[in-house]
Amino acid sequence: MGFCLSLISRSISSFCGCTILLLFLLSCSCFTSTEAYDALDPNGNITIKWDIMSWTPDGYVAVVTMYNFQQYRHIQSPGWSLQWTWAKKEVIWSMLGGQTTEQGDCSRFKGNVPHCCKKDPTVVDLLPGTPYNQQIANCCKGGVVSSWVQDPANAASSFQVSVGSAGTTNKTVRVPKNFTLKAPGPGYTCGPAKIVKPTRFVTQDGRRVTQALMTWNVTCTYSQFLSQKTPTCCVSLSSFYNDTIVPCPTCTCGCQNNITQPGSCVEEDSPYLASVVSGSGKNSYTPLVQCTKHMCPIRVHWHVKLSYKEYWRVKVTITNFNYRMNYTQWNLVVQHPNFDNLTQIFSFNYKSLTPYAAINDTAMLWGVKFYNDLLVQAGPLGNVQSELLFRKDKSTFTFEKGWAFPRRIYFNGDNCVMPPPDSYPWLPNATSRTSTSLLTLIMVLLSALLLLNAHV
């Protein structure tokens, strides 16, 4: 009897200790959610390179280039905006390939008036179709910048700026401060500008190398928590071996609340739908979603479709519930252990990502150009889909315990909310999902001991 009580006491102590540890870990996770670190793209960032190309009587001419070194996170319409604060009383005399959103107060200038006199100018990209005499290389795409994997040729954006009332030598020039990148909303945190070795340029024939007079870099990293206070996408699951369709968790991205917050969503069959959508403005950063239980702008559905002798097939469907956004150059990142045996993919582009070196379990998927690379607004056409064919690896493949479903999914670089694992579709002959907890075991032992004492 003493041994049993000692065992129970130690079990309870262990259970309490595990509970405290679990609560500690959960509390710690609340503080790490703001960190701009992505486990699937640990080195991803946007680097802004500021190259001074020539000196002028009162300043310099510089080319500013934004390089997107993120593997799958791109900048979509309505595009980026870049803001900084001048260190002294600099002004912008003229620009190519970009423009400031405001001119500011230039009343102190007589004759020639600068392009911008603000202490903290905000620059945006020019639109496609801009006259050639106002363009430079890598400009004029409306602020849209592709991800490094998806389209490396369009993963940069540039503008030229002529700065006045500034230093005219490397020793007198002052580096701007407080860089802020919006793409198109918040989400990026930029570090201070750092002077680096001047950029070197090679001519097209490769026979001559020139270099900038002075260069500084600014590195910006992304945090989903800063971008959106709530999730932006969710995942639903289904399979051929179980009739259960596991929906996105309720209130994943918010809850329907048209009583206290009218207009938070729109019913699909609403007679006012056309007027609401036409008046909201396409590509607005604030979503106007279709009324659903999950209230997410994007839902990704993973359906285990078929099982063959040596292969198995999955259907992936991405549905847009946002009436205000056409997602250009969308992409999907999926983590699943069977991607090392992906045999064929239909109607999507595919690129293997290896964030963990030799482990090939992460794939990037995106649409075929001019076919399905545009995910249009919510409605009958607001979805894209594809099928994936995997080869079965006898040492790892199983349909048990939710193995056939993805470990995580990102849409446009944002982590999508998965259903809880205990709700996944299980095999018909699988054991019960509810496992006996340690606390339940302790209660059973205590009951048995009480019954034993009663008989004694």
Side-chain angles (χ1 to χ4, degrees), residues 3 6 52 120 136 193 228 251 320 353 366-367 393 401 417 452:
F3 172 78
S6 175
I52 296 179
D120 54 348
I136 65 167
Q228 296 284 344
C251 294
N320 185 3
L353 304 179
W366 67 95
D393 185 343
K401 300 179 181 179
V417 177
L452 183 61

Side-chain angles (χ1 to χ4, degrees), residues 5-6 37 42 44 53 71 113 135 259 290 297 310 322 380 382 444:
L5 290 174
S6 175
Y37 176 78
M53 307 303 294
Q71 294 193 82
V113 178
Q135 295 187 25
I259 297 177
Q290 185 182 117
E310 296 184 357
N322 187 357
V444 171

Side-chain angles (χ1 to χ4, degrees), residues 280-414:
S280 63
K282 297 286 193 324
N283 298 328
S284 171
Y285 187 68
T286 303
L288 176 64
V289 299
Q290 185 182 117
C291 293
T292 58
K293 290 184 177 180
H294 55 78
M295 292 291 286
C296 289
I298 293 292
R299 182 191 67 194
V300 181
H301 185 74
W302 180 280
H303 175 64
V304 181
K305 187 175 181 180
L306 292 168
S307 178
Y308 308 103
K309 182 178 180 180
E310 296 184 357
Y311 300 92
W312 62 293
R313 184 185 291 257
V314 169
K315 182 177 181 179
V316 177
T317 305
I318 308 171
T319 305
N320 185 3
F321 291 97
N322 187 357
Y323 288 106
R324 284 182 175 166
M325 180 65 75
N326 294 325
Y327 292 92
T328 58
Q329 299 182 358
W330 61 267
N331 66 64
L332 200 69
V333 174
V334 185
Q335 192 173 35
H336 190 283
N338 214 162
F339 270 114
D340 58 349
N341 285 318
L342 179 65
T343 302
Q344 190 172 1
I345 184 169
F346 305 89
S347 71
F348 281 1
N349 288 309
Y350 160 79
K351 171 73 175 180
S352 173
L353 304 179
T354 52
Y356 309 115
I359 302 176
N360 179 18
D361 67 348
T362 308
M364 177 174 169
L365 313 175
W366 67 95
V368 178
K369 197 168 186 178
F370 304 124
Y371 176 59
N372 59 0
D373 62 332
L374 175 65
L375 177 57
V376 300
Q377 67 177 39
L381 302 177
N383 68 86
V384 291
Q385 53 191 356
S386 179
E387 295 192 3
L388 292 74
L389 187 66
F390 296 96
R391 183 172 60 84
K392 295 179 179 178
D393 185 343
K394 294 181 180 179
S395 63
T396 58
F397 175 80
T398 178
F399 281 133
E400 294 182 357
K401 300 179 181 179
W403 185 90
F405 299 105
R407 306 305 182 257
R408 73 174 92 182
I409 289 181
Y410 286 26
F411 178 81
N412 278 357
D414 285 343

